[in-house]
Amino acid sequence: MSDASAPENYRVLARKYRPADFDSLIGQEAMVRTLSNAIDTGRLAHAFILTGVRGVGKTTTARIIAKALNCTNADGPTINPCGTCDNCTSIAESRHVDVLEMDAASRTGVDDIREIIESVRYAPVSARFKIYIIDEVHMLSKSAFNALLKTLEEPPKHVKFIFATTEIRKLPVTVLSRCQRFDLKRVEAEVLVSHLGRLVKAEDCSAEEAALALIARAAEGSVRDSLSLLDQAIAHGAGSVTEDQVRGMLGLADRAQVLDLFEQIMKGEVAEALATLRTQYDSGADPVVVINDLLEVSHWLTRLKVTPDTGIDTLVSEAEKEQGGKMASELSMPHLTRAWQMLMKGLGEVRVAPSAIAAAEMVLIRMAYASGLPSPADLVKKLQNAPAGAAVPALPAPGGVPAAPTGNAPTQQAPTAQRSAEVVALRAEPPGDHPKHPMPISFEKMVALFQAEKEGILATVLTDHVRLVDYKSGAFTITTTGRTPNDFVMRAKQCLKAWTGADWMISIDQQAEGSTTLKEQHAARDQKRREETLDDPNVKALLEVFPEAKLLAVRDRRTLEEQIEEAETEDAGLDYSEDADDKSEFDF
């Protein structure tokens, strides 16, 4: 075997077909136009920064710029470097003495930048410009960036800086303001498919266009990723790239099957959907990828419904366009958005579940059973349009079979849906003529309503952070300590209206002094009861027998209503000291 055909001399497609000039650089027309005009007019910046996702050509573009500035077959900088002179060939091979490439991921310190600062003062040896290419520049330390700032702002005329990064937001603003920025965009799928087709012919191989479309879609706009996948697909198919081979290699489900699966889910066909999922899983499809594909279908159908022009896509077959258009017209926007939300939640569950396929099946089952439920807006309309006393309309069950109607129909109906509709209808009814509670005659009894109705937040605010100024039936004035919620008054009015059936007037007067808070009143009452208990002869005798005993608490066995009535009686000036029924108990 000759050295030329030796396996160790093989170069992967991503390196073999790396662009050597701007004409072979695909998908970055805006940047090429800007650089071309800058070179033609002599308005070259002293520092460039190239940003974009991985594999779109940042480092390659940096080398092309270096060749364009230093090509010796032109009188000056040119947008079309020859690629054959000594400077062009040595730059392409990363061995030019005046074009220095540095990986900031491995050389992050200020000492590495100090070497650049000390070397910029010297003129280039053989090139027109001395060029410094720093890849992954966002990895430099803060001190390294600070050390570079002065040189980056005022470099010698023979020095050019070219930075490349995937994390442009991690760069200091002081660096960005000194550079001319170029955002390299993701390469469109159609452009990638055309590019891959040319490379397949150059490699004397064959590939189906659908297979190349799958590779372009999986690459997500990265040229390097698409070439790596194509290299793998050619090896997988021994020179012939087919759609089925690529799907098996990538672990993808058939897009037509994914559309069928989504349609089965939205129709509530649980058994058919589970069978389709299991078939894809047995064929090697990853459950995470299947859920992700369903998410893409949900997004695509939603866009089809909002903007029908979305269906004009060269990567989508005519059958898919027809099926997708029909589905988009039949499904409502609430159903599509609900499917998106359930799939988003399900995707996280499938990723962390011990059994991915089991989690994916549970996601599909939930979606299928939810597909027959109406949207909240539809449910409200049904309830509003239903005559008084009429039966609640039954909700469709999964599988497209309607549930039995309510009323005198058999009991084989959807009880959960019926109960839910009844609850909604109950909550929608306005308060009747019979209030739930009588009008409280005191502020303390009114606060007791909030405690009895489990409105803990409002009850705490009224007890701890409110001082009463004036109270009468249906209206009261308070002053607050500044710790009340912004919507406190509105919520309190709504609750009192629902419980008493009357409209309440609540005023806040911060200038008024007000009485002590209920919390302070309760504390004073407890302290008084504690002192009275310690003066009790029986308690004193008990403490003499057990000198180490301590009175921990005095608990009142009366109800809250009885305690409030006693407090109101004491406030009215009545004597309660002759009460024969003492309901206090002590904790020692």
mmCIF file of all heavy atoms in Angstrom, residues 122-169:
data_model
loop_
_atom_site.group_PDB
_atom_site.id
_atom_site.type_symbol
_atom_site.label_atom_id
_atom_site.label_comp_id
_atom_site.label_asym_id
_atom_site.label_seq_id
_atom_site.Cartn_x
_atom_site.Cartn_y
_atom_site.Cartn_z
ATOM 1 N N TYR A 122 7.869 44.938 17.065
ATOM 2 C CA TYR A 122 8.762 44.535 15.981
ATOM 3 C C TYR A 122 7.991 44.395 14.682
ATOM 4 O O TYR A 122 6.857 43.898 14.650
ATOM 5 C CB TYR A 122 9.454 43.214 16.310
ATOM 6 C CG TYR A 122 10.247 43.278 17.601
ATOM 7 C CD1 TYR A 122 9.814 42.616 18.745
ATOM 8 C CD2 TYR A 122 11.428 44.017 17.664
ATOM 9 C CE1 TYR A 122 10.528 42.677 19.919
ATOM 10 C CE2 TYR A 122 12.154 44.084 18.858
ATOM 11 C CZ TYR A 122 11.692 43.424 19.970
ATOM 12 O OH TYR A 122 12.400 43.495 21.153
ATOM 13 N N ALA A 123 8.595 44.826 13.592
ATOM 14 C CA ALA A 123 7.965 44.767 12.278
ATOM 15 C C ALA A 123 7.874 43.321 11.801
ATOM 16 O O ALA A 123 8.655 42.460 12.230
ATOM 17 C CB ALA A 123 8.756 45.607 11.282
ATOM 18 N N PRO A 124 6.945 43.029 10.904
ATOM 19 C CA PRO A 124 6.840 41.651 10.372
ATOM 20 C C PRO A 124 8.083 41.268 9.582
ATOM 21 O O PRO A 124 8.750 42.113 8.989
ATOM 22 C CB PRO A 124 5.583 41.714 9.498
ATOM 23 C CG PRO A 124 5.387 43.153 9.174
ATOM 24 C CD PRO A 124 5.918 43.913 10.338
ATOM 25 N N VAL A 125 8.360 39.987 9.548
ATOM 26 C CA VAL A 125 9.562 39.483 8.880
ATOM 27 C C VAL A 125 9.359 39.435 7.376
ATOM 28 O O VAL A 125 10.176 39.964 6.608
ATOM 29 C CB VAL A 125 9.919 38.083 9.421
ATOM 30 C CG1 VAL A 125 11.132 37.518 8.672
ATOM 31 C CG2 VAL A 125 10.205 38.142 10.916
ATOM 32 N N SER A 126 8.275 38.811 6.922
ATOM 33 C CA SER A 126 8.081 38.639 5.487
ATOM 34 C C SER A 126 6.687 39.040 5.019
ATOM 35 O O SER A 126 6.449 39.102 3.812
ATOM 36 C CB SER A 126 8.336 37.178 5.096
ATOM 37 O OG SER A 126 7.440 36.313 5.783
ATOM 38 N N ALA A 127 5.799 39.318 5.912
ATOM 39 C CA ALA A 127 4.421 39.630 5.538
ATOM 40 C C ALA A 127 4.195 41.135 5.559
ATOM 41 O O ALA A 127 5.026 41.914 6.027
ATOM 42 C CB ALA A 127 3.442 38.933 6.483
ATOM 43 N N ARG A 128 3.032 41.511 5.037
ATOM 44 C CA ARG A 128 2.665 42.922 5.018
ATOM 45 C C ARG A 128 2.192 43.375 6.398
ATOM 46 O O ARG A 128 2.438 44.505 6.819
ATOM 47 C CB ARG A 128 1.568 43.134 3.972
ATOM 48 C CG ARG A 128 1.239 44.588 3.695
ATOM 49 C CD ARG A 128 0.196 44.699 2.586
ATOM 50 N NE ARG A 128 0.699 44.233 1.292
ATOM 51 C CZ ARG A 128 0.274 43.152 0.658
ATOM 52 N NH1 ARG A 128 -0.679 42.393 1.207
ATOM 53 N NH2 ARG A 128 0.780 42.788 -0.508
ATOM 54 N N PHE A 129 1.475 42.496 7.126
ATOM 55 C CA PHE A 129 0.976 42.789 8.464
ATOM 56 C C PHE A 129 1.336 41.652 9.401
ATOM 57 O O PHE A 129 1.372 40.474 9.003
ATOM 58 C CB PHE A 129 -0.548 42.951 8.463
ATOM 59 C CG PHE A 129 -1.047 44.148 7.697
ATOM 60 C CD1 PHE A 129 -1.523 44.013 6.403
ATOM 61 C CD2 PHE A 129 -1.045 45.416 8.273
ATOM 62 C CE1 PHE A 129 -1.986 45.101 5.695
ATOM 63 C CE2 PHE A 129 -1.511 46.510 7.571
ATOM 64 C CZ PHE A 129 -1.980 46.366 6.278
ATOM 65 N N LYS A 130 1.602 41.990 10.626
ATOM 66 C CA LYS A 130 1.745 40.988 11.677
ATOM 67 C C LYS A 130 0.357 40.804 12.299
ATOM 68 O O LYS A 130 -0.245 41.752 12.807
ATOM 69 C CB LYS A 130 2.750 41.440 12.721
ATOM 70 C CG LYS A 130 2.939 40.428 13.852
ATOM 71 C CD LYS A 130 3.991 40.883 14.839
ATOM 72 C CE LYS A 130 5.386 40.650 14.254
ATOM 73 N NZ LYS A 130 6.431 40.878 15.267
ATOM 74 N N ILE A 131 -0.142 39.587 12.246
ATOM 75 C CA ILE A 131 -1.527 39.305 12.629
ATOM 76 C C ILE A 131 -1.539 38.332 13.806
ATOM 77 O O ILE A 131 -0.839 37.314 13.798
ATOM 78 C CB ILE A 131 -2.316 38.718 11.437
ATOM 79 C CG1 ILE A 131 -2.363 39.744 10.296
ATOM 80 C CG2 ILE A 131 -3.732 38.334 11.866
ATOM 81 C CD1 ILE A 131 -3.033 39.243 9.049
ATOM 82 N N TYR A 132 -2.346 38.663 14.803
ATOM 83 C CA TYR A 132 -2.519 37.816 15.984
ATOM 84 C C TYR A 132 -3.955 37.290 15.980
ATOM 85 O O TYR A 132 -4.910 38.070 16.068
ATOM 86 C CB TYR A 132 -2.244 38.606 17.257
ATOM 87 C CG TYR A 132 -0.807 39.074 17.390
ATOM 88 C CD1 TYR A 132 -0.426 40.318 16.905
ATOM 89 C CD2 TYR A 132 0.147 38.266 17.984
ATOM 90 C CE1 TYR A 132 0.891 40.747 17.018
ATOM 91 C CE2 TYR A 132 1.477 38.687 18.098
ATOM 92 C CZ TYR A 132 1.825 39.924 17.611
ATOM 93 O OH TYR A 132 3.126 40.341 17.718
ATOM 94 N N ILE A 133 -4.088 35.977 15.865
ATOM 95 C CA ILE A 133 -5.401 35.318 15.884
ATOM 96 C C ILE A 133 -5.543 34.643 17.249
ATOM 97 O O ILE A 133 -4.767 33.731 17.584
ATOM 98 C CB ILE A 133 -5.527 34.287 14.750
ATOM 99 C CG1 ILE A 133 -5.371 34.968 13.382
ATOM 100 C CG2 ILE A 133 -6.869 33.569 14.835
ATOM 101 C CD1 ILE A 133 -5.369 34.004 12.209
ATOM 102 N N ILE A 134 -6.508 35.086 18.033
ATOM 103 C CA ILE A 134 -6.754 34.517 19.369
ATOM 104 C C ILE A 134 -8.112 33.831 19.342
ATOM 105 O O ILE A 134 -9.155 34.497 19.224
ATOM 106 C CB ILE A 134 -6.708 35.604 20.456
ATOM 107 C CG1 ILE A 134 -5.355 36.336 20.416
ATOM 108 C CG2 ILE A 134 -6.935 34.991 21.837
ATOM 109 C CD1 ILE A 134 -5.234 37.424 21.461
ATOM 110 N N ASP A 135 -8.088 32.519 19.415
ATOM 111 C CA ASP A 135 -9.323 31.731 19.379
ATOM 112 C C ASP A 135 -9.876 31.561 20.794
ATOM 113 O O ASP A 135 -9.110 31.489 21.762
ATOM 114 C CB ASP A 135 -9.043 30.357 18.764
ATOM 115 C CG ASP A 135 -10.313 29.719 18.213
ATOM 116 O OD1 ASP A 135 -11.371 30.380 18.248
ATOM 117 O OD2 ASP A 135 -10.245 28.555 17.770
ATOM 118 N N GLU A 136 -11.199 31.470 20.895
ATOM 119 C CA GLU A 136 -11.889 31.367 22.193
ATOM 120 C C GLU A 136 -11.403 32.455 23.146
ATOM 121 O O GLU A 136 -11.022 32.202 24.289
ATOM 122 C CB GLU A 136 -11.686 29.976 22.803
ATOM 123 C CG GLU A 136 -12.197 28.841 21.966
ATOM 124 C CD GLU A 136 -13.702 28.912 21.717
ATOM 125 O OE1 GLU A 136 -14.427 29.528 22.531
ATOM 126 O OE2 GLU A 136 -14.165 28.360 20.712
ATOM 127 N N VAL A 137 -11.433 33.697 22.661
ATOM 128 C CA VAL A 137 -10.854 34.806 23.409
ATOM 129 C C VAL A 137 -11.585 35.059 24.722
ATOM 130 O O VAL A 137 -11.019 35.651 25.652
ATOM 131 C CB VAL A 137 -10.857 36.066 22.518
ATOM 132 C CG1 VAL A 137 -12.279 36.552 22.283
ATOM 133 C CG2 VAL A 137 -10.008 37.172 23.129
ATOM 134 N N HIS A 138 -12.837 34.610 24.852
ATOM 135 C CA HIS A 138 -13.576 34.840 26.092
ATOM 136 C C HIS A 138 -12.991 34.075 27.269
ATOM 137 O O HIS A 138 -13.361 34.341 28.423
ATOM 138 C CB HIS A 138 -15.051 34.448 25.906
ATOM 139 C CG HIS A 138 -15.255 32.973 25.675
ATOM 140 N ND1 HIS A 138 -15.179 32.400 24.428
ATOM 141 C CD2 HIS A 138 -15.532 31.962 26.538
ATOM 142 C CE1 HIS A 138 -15.397 31.107 24.528
ATOM 143 N NE2 HIS A 138 -15.609 30.810 25.789
ATOM 144 N N MET A 139 -12.070 33.142 27.011
ATOM 145 C CA MET A 139 -11.452 32.367 28.086
ATOM 146 C C MET A 139 -10.321 33.114 28.774
ATOM 147 O O MET A 139 -9.804 32.649 29.797
ATOM 148 C CB MET A 139 -10.938 31.037 27.535
ATOM 149 C CG MET A 139 -11.997 30.154 26.909
ATOM 150 S SD MET A 139 -13.189 29.543 28.106
ATOM 151 C CE MET A 139 -12.183 28.348 28.983
ATOM 152 N N LEU A 140 -9.896 34.248 28.238
ATOM 153 C CA LEU A 140 -8.828 35.013 28.887
ATOM 154 C C LEU A 140 -9.293 35.512 30.255
ATOM 155 O O LEU A 140 -10.467 35.816 30.464
ATOM 156 C CB LEU A 140 -8.427 36.204 28.015
ATOM 157 C CG LEU A 140 -7.663 35.907 26.720
ATOM 158 C CD1 LEU A 140 -7.393 37.200 25.967
ATOM 159 C CD2 LEU A 140 -6.357 35.182 27.004
ATOM 160 N N SER A 141 -8.334 35.624 31.163
ATOM 161 C CA SER A 141 -8.658 36.123 32.496
ATOM 162 C C SER A 141 -8.888 37.624 32.454
ATOM 163 O O SER A 141 -8.549 38.312 31.479
ATOM 164 C CB SER A 141 -7.519 35.786 33.467
ATOM 165 O OG SER A 141 -6.331 36.456 33.081
ATOM 166 N N LYS A 142 -9.453 38.141 33.544
ATOM 167 C CA LYS A 142 -9.728 39.566 33.623
ATOM 168 C C LYS A 142 -8.443 40.388 33.556
ATOM 169 O O LYS A 142 -8.384 41.422 32.875
ATOM 170 C CB LYS A 142 -10.478 39.863 34.924
ATOM 171 C CG LYS A 142 -10.866 41.321 35.092
ATOM 172 C CD LYS A 142 -11.644 41.535 36.383
ATOM 173 C CE LYS A 142 -12.017 42.999 36.560
ATOM 174 N NZ LYS A 142 -12.769 43.219 37.827
ATOM 175 N N SER A 143 -7.413 39.922 34.227
ATOM 176 C CA SER A 143 -6.136 40.640 34.197
ATOM 177 C C SER A 143 -5.516 40.598 32.813
ATOM 178 O O SER A 143 -4.878 41.567 32.377
ATOM 179 C CB SER A 143 -5.189 40.048 35.234
ATOM 180 O OG SER A 143 -4.990 38.659 35.010
ATOM 181 N N ALA A 144 -5.716 39.505 32.088
ATOM 182 C CA ALA A 144 -5.179 39.415 30.729
ATOM 183 C C ALA A 144 -5.881 40.403 29.804
ATOM 184 O O ALA A 144 -5.240 41.053 28.969
ATOM 185 C CB ALA A 144 -5.326 37.985 30.211
ATOM 186 N N PHE A 145 -7.188 40.515 29.937
ATOM 187 C CA PHE A 145 -7.920 41.503 29.137
ATOM 188 C C PHE A 145 -7.445 42.921 29.446
ATOM 189 O O PHE A 145 -7.228 43.728 28.542
ATOM 190 C CB PHE A 145 -9.423 41.396 29.424
ATOM 191 C CG PHE A 145 -10.125 40.353 28.608
ATOM 192 C CD1 PHE A 145 -10.854 39.349 29.216
ATOM 193 C CD2 PHE A 145 -10.071 40.383 27.226
ATOM 194 C CE1 PHE A 145 -11.511 38.390 28.473
ATOM 195 C CE2 PHE A 145 -10.728 39.423 26.462
ATOM 196 C CZ PHE A 145 -11.445 38.429 27.095
ATOM 197 N N ASN A 146 -7.277 43.218 30.728
ATOM 198 C CA ASN A 146 -6.836 44.558 31.109
ATOM 199 C C ASN A 146 -5.451 44.868 30.570
ATOM 200 O O ASN A 146 -5.166 46.007 30.168
ATOM 201 C CB ASN A 146 -6.861 44.701 32.627
ATOM 202 C CG ASN A 146 -8.270 44.668 33.191
ATOM 203 O OD1 ASN A 146 -9.224 45.004 32.494
ATOM 204 N ND2 ASN A 146 -8.401 44.268 34.437
ATOM 205 N N ALA A 147 -4.578 43.856 30.555
ATOM 206 C CA ALA A 147 -3.231 44.070 30.042
ATOM 207 C C ALA A 147 -3.224 44.325 28.540
ATOM 208 O O ALA A 147 -2.347 45.015 28.015
ATOM 209 C CB ALA A 147 -2.360 42.858 30.377
ATOM 210 N N LEU A 148 -4.229 43.798 27.829
ATOM 211 C CA LEU A 148 -4.273 43.918 26.374
ATOM 212 C C LEU A 148 -4.930 45.216 25.900
ATOM 213 O O LEU A 148 -4.762 45.606 24.742
ATOM 214 C CB LEU A 148 -5.033 42.714 25.802
ATOM 215 C CG LEU A 148 -5.122 42.555 24.287
ATOM 216 C CD1 LEU A 148 -3.735 42.406 23.668
ATOM 217 C CD2 LEU A 148 -6.003 41.381 23.921
ATOM 218 N N LEU A 149 -5.652 45.901 26.792
ATOM 219 C CA LEU A 149 -6.497 47.007 26.358
ATOM 220 C C LEU A 149 -5.706 48.112 25.659
ATOM 221 O O LEU A 149 -6.097 48.572 24.579
ATOM 222 C CB LEU A 149 -7.251 47.588 27.559
ATOM 223 C CG LEU A 149 -8.409 46.740 28.094
ATOM 224 C CD1 LEU A 149 -9.063 47.419 29.279
ATOM 225 C CD2 LEU A 149 -9.428 46.470 27.003
ATOM 226 N N LYS A 150 -4.614 48.563 26.249
ATOM 227 C CA LYS A 150 -3.877 49.689 25.682
ATOM 228 C C LYS A 150 -3.311 49.349 24.314
ATOM 229 O O LYS A 150 -3.407 50.146 23.362
ATOM 230 C CB LYS A 150 -2.746 50.099 26.634
ATOM 231 C CG LYS A 150 -2.025 51.368 26.219
ATOM 232 C CD LYS A 150 -2.964 52.562 26.174
ATOM 233 C CE LYS A 150 -2.233 53.830 25.796
ATOM 234 N NZ LYS A 150 -3.145 54.988 25.702
ATOM 235 N N THR A 151 -2.725 48.167 24.186
ATOM 236 C CA THR A 151 -2.191 47.747 22.892
ATOM 237 C C THR A 151 -3.300 47.561 21.875
ATOM 238 O O THR A 151 -3.138 47.872 20.689
ATOM 239 C CB THR A 151 -1.390 46.444 23.052
ATOM 240 O OG1 THR A 151 -0.378 46.634 24.033
ATOM 241 C CG2 THR A 151 -0.769 46.012 21.748
ATOM 242 N N LEU A 152 -4.456 47.047 22.320
ATOM 243 C CA LEU A 152 -5.581 46.826 21.405
ATOM 244 C C LEU A 152 -6.149 48.150 20.913
ATOM 245 O O LEU A 152 -6.647 48.234 19.789
ATOM 246 C CB LEU A 152 -6.665 46.007 22.122
ATOM 247 C CG LEU A 152 -7.879 45.578 21.296
ATOM 248 C CD1 LEU A 152 -7.444 44.697 20.137
ATOM 249 C CD2 LEU A 152 -8.879 44.849 22.172
ATOM 250 N N GLU A 153 -6.073 49.183 21.724
ATOM 251 C CA GLU A 153 -6.618 50.476 21.327
ATOM 252 C C GLU A 153 -5.703 51.217 20.354
ATOM 253 O O GLU A 153 -6.180 51.832 19.396
ATOM 254 C CB GLU A 153 -6.860 51.342 22.561
ATOM 255 C CG GLU A 153 -7.534 52.664 22.250
ATOM 256 C CD GLU A 153 -7.860 53.449 23.504
ATOM 257 O OE1 GLU A 153 -7.377 53.057 24.590
ATOM 258 O OE2 GLU A 153 -8.598 54.437 23.406
ATOM 259 N N GLU A 154 -4.401 51.162 20.564
ATOM 260 C CA GLU A 154 -3.451 51.893 19.716
ATOM 261 C C GLU A 154 -2.299 50.971 19.305
ATOM 262 O O GLU A 154 -1.155 51.142 19.745
ATOM 263 C CB GLU A 154 -2.914 53.114 20.471
ATOM 264 C CG GLU A 154 -3.985 54.128 20.830
ATOM 265 C CD GLU A 154 -3.424 55.286 21.625
ATOM 266 O OE1 GLU A 154 -2.204 55.256 21.919
ATOM 267 O OE2 GLU A 154 -4.174 56.213 21.951
ATOM 268 N N PRO A 155 -2.570 49.975 18.476
ATOM 269 C CA PRO A 155 -1.484 49.090 18.038
ATOM 270 C C PRO A 155 -0.654 49.767 16.945
ATOM 271 O O PRO A 155 -1.102 50.734 16.311
ATOM 272 C CB PRO A 155 -2.232 47.875 17.497
ATOM 273 C CG PRO A 155 -3.515 48.443 16.987
ATOM 274 C CD PRO A 155 -3.865 49.584 17.895
ATOM 275 N N PRO A 156 0.555 49.276 16.684
ATOM 276 C CA PRO A 156 1.341 49.782 15.549
ATOM 277 C C PRO A 156 0.608 49.552 14.229
ATOM 278 O O PRO A 156 -0.285 48.707 14.126
ATOM 279 C CB PRO A 156 2.636 48.980 15.640
ATOM 280 C CG PRO A 156 2.716 48.522 17.063
ATOM 281 C CD PRO A 156 1.308 48.306 17.499
ATOM 282 N N LYS A 157 0.967 50.306 13.207
ATOM 283 C CA LYS A 157 0.274 50.219 11.924
ATOM 284 C C LYS A 157 0.414 48.851 11.268
ATOM 285 O O LYS A 157 -0.423 48.474 10.442
ATOM 286 C CB LYS A 157 0.816 51.297 10.984
ATOM 287 C CG LYS A 157 0.502 52.722 11.436
ATOM 288 C CD LYS A 157 1.022 53.732 10.429
ATOM 289 C CE LYS A 157 0.683 55.149 10.860
ATOM 290 N NZ LYS A 157 1.175 56.169 9.885
ATOM 291 N N HIS A 158 1.457 48.130 11.607
ATOM 292 C CA HIS A 158 1.680 46.835 10.950
ATOM 293 C C HIS A 158 1.030 45.677 11.704
ATOM 294 O O HIS A 158 1.247 44.514 11.356
ATOM 295 C CB HIS A 158 3.186 46.566 10.836
ATOM 296 C CG HIS A 158 3.884 46.551 12.176
ATOM 297 N ND1 HIS A 158 4.454 47.670 12.726
ATOM 298 C CD2 HIS A 158 4.079 45.553 13.064
ATOM 299 C CE1 HIS A 158 5.007 47.368 13.895
ATOM 300 N NE2 HIS A 158 4.773 46.071 14.121
ATOM 301 N N VAL A 159 0.214 45.938 12.724
ATOM 302 C CA VAL A 159 -0.355 44.887 13.568
ATOM 303 C C VAL A 159 -1.878 44.853 13.391
ATOM 304 O O VAL A 159 -2.534 45.902 13.367
ATOM 305 C CB VAL A 159 0.001 45.103 15.052
ATOM 306 C CG1 VAL A 159 -0.745 44.109 15.937
ATOM 307 C CG2 VAL A 159 1.504 44.948 15.258
ATOM 308 N N LYS A 160 -2.408 43.651 13.255
ATOM 309 C CA LYS A 160 -3.855 43.426 13.209
ATOM 310 C C LYS A 160 -4.207 42.326 14.210
ATOM 311 O O LYS A 160 -3.471 41.333 14.340
ATOM 312 C CB LYS A 160 -4.321 42.998 11.813
ATOM 313 C CG LYS A 160 -3.993 43.985 10.702
ATOM 314 C CD LYS A 160 -4.802 45.247 10.796
ATOM 315 C CE LYS A 160 -4.487 46.178 9.617
ATOM 316 N NZ LYS A 160 -5.207 47.470 9.734
ATOM 317 N N PHE A 161 -5.319 42.507 14.905
ATOM 318 C CA PHE A 161 -5.826 41.502 15.842
ATOM 319 C C PHE A 161 -7.118 40.920 15.282
ATOM 320 O O PHE A 161 -7.993 41.645 14.806
ATOM 321 C CB PHE A 161 -6.108 42.118 17.215
ATOM 322 C CG PHE A 161 -4.876 42.488 17.984
ATOM 323 C CD1 PHE A 161 -4.407 43.786 17.978
ATOM 324 C CD2 PHE A 161 -4.184 41.533 18.715
ATOM 325 C CE1 PHE A 161 -3.276 44.142 18.694
ATOM 326 C CE2 PHE A 161 -3.053 41.870 19.428
ATOM 327 C CZ PHE A 161 -2.586 43.179 19.418
ATOM 328 N N ILE A 162 -7.236 39.588 15.373
ATOM 329 C CA ILE A 162 -8.471 38.894 14.970
ATOM 330 C C ILE A 162 -8.859 37.957 16.112
ATOM 331 O O ILE A 162 -8.114 37.032 16.448
ATOM 332 C CB ILE A 162 -8.298 38.096 13.663
ATOM 333 C CG1 ILE A 162 -7.784 38.999 12.536
ATOM 334 C CG2 ILE A 162 -9.621 37.462 13.263
ATOM 335 C CD1 ILE A 162 -7.520 38.268 11.239
ATOM 336 N N PHE A 163 -9.996 38.218 16.724
ATOM 337 C CA PHE A 163 -10.488 37.412 17.837
ATOM 338 C C PHE A 163 -11.654 36.543 17.359
ATOM 339 O O PHE A 163 -12.429 36.946 16.492
ATOM 340 C CB PHE A 163 -10.963 38.292 18.992
ATOM 341 C CG PHE A 163 -9.902 39.196 19.552
ATOM 342 C CD1 PHE A 163 -10.215 40.468 20.006
ATOM 343 C CD2 PHE A 163 -8.583 38.769 19.620
ATOM 344 C CE1 PHE A 163 -9.238 41.290 20.517
ATOM 345 C CE2 PHE A 163 -7.594 39.587 20.138
ATOM 346 C CZ PHE A 163 -7.923 40.854 20.583
ATOM 347 N N ALA A 164 -11.764 35.366 17.947
ATOM 348 C CA ALA A 164 -12.879 34.454 17.654
ATOM 349 C C ALA A 164 -13.447 33.934 18.963
ATOM 350 O O ALA A 164 -12.686 33.590 19.879
ATOM 351 C CB ALA A 164 -12.415 33.290 16.778
ATOM 352 N N THR A 165 -14.756 33.898 19.051
ATOM 353 C CA THR A 165 -15.389 33.439 20.295
ATOM 354 C C THR A 165 -16.792 32.927 20.013
ATOM 355 O O THR A 165 -17.457 33.364 19.066
ATOM 356 C CB THR A 165 -15.464 34.577 21.324
ATOM 357 O OG1 THR A 165 -16.116 34.108 22.506
ATOM 358 C CG2 THR A 165 -16.237 35.760 20.782
ATOM 359 N N THR A 166 -17.220 32.002 20.847
ATOM 360 C CA THR A 166 -18.607 31.528 20.813
ATOM 361 C C THR A 166 -19.439 32.161 21.922
ATOM 362 O O THR A 166 -20.655 31.977 21.960
ATOM 363 C CB THR A 166 -18.651 29.995 20.978
ATOM 364 O OG1 THR A 166 -17.959 29.633 22.184
ATOM 365 C CG2 THR A 166 -17.998 29.305 19.800
ATOM 366 N N GLU A 167 -18.791 32.876 22.851
ATOM 367 C CA GLU A 167 -19.476 33.495 23.991
ATOM 368 C C GLU A 167 -19.191 34.990 23.991
ATOM 369 O O GLU A 167 -18.389 35.488 24.780
ATOM 370 C CB GLU A 167 -19.012 32.847 25.308
ATOM 371 C CG GLU A 167 -19.254 31.359 25.403
ATOM 372 C CD GLU A 167 -20.714 31.028 25.628
ATOM 373 O OE1 GLU A 167 -21.483 31.963 25.953
ATOM 374 O OE2 GLU A 167 -21.091 29.864 25.475
ATOM 375 N N ILE A 168 -19.829 35.711 23.088
ATOM 376 C CA ILE A 168 -19.544 37.135 22.934
ATOM 377 C C ILE A 168 -19.934 37.925 24.174
ATOM 378 O O ILE A 168 -19.323 38.971 24.486
ATOM 379 C CB ILE A 168 -20.289 37.678 21.690
ATOM 380 C CG1 ILE A 168 -19.822 39.104 21.352
ATOM 381 C CG2 ILE A 168 -21.788 37.625 21.902
ATOM 382 C CD1 ILE A 168 -18.416 39.195 20.894
ATOM 383 N N ARG A 169 -20.922 37.453 24.937
ATOM 384 C CA ARG A 169 -21.372 38.203 26.104
ATOM 385 C C ARG A 169 -20.373 38.138 27.256
ATOM 386 O O ARG A 169 -20.498 38.916 28.209
ATOM 387 C CB ARG A 169 -22.728 37.662 26.575
ATOM 388 C CG ARG A 169 -23.849 37.886 25.564
ATOM 389 C CD ARG A 169 -25.183 37.444 26.101
ATOM 390 N NE ARG A 169 -26.264 37.688 25.145
ATOM 391 C CZ ARG A 169 -27.535 37.391 25.371
ATOM 392 N NH1 ARG A 169 -27.879 36.833 26.519
ATOM 393 N NH2 ARG A 169 -28.451 37.646 24.453
#
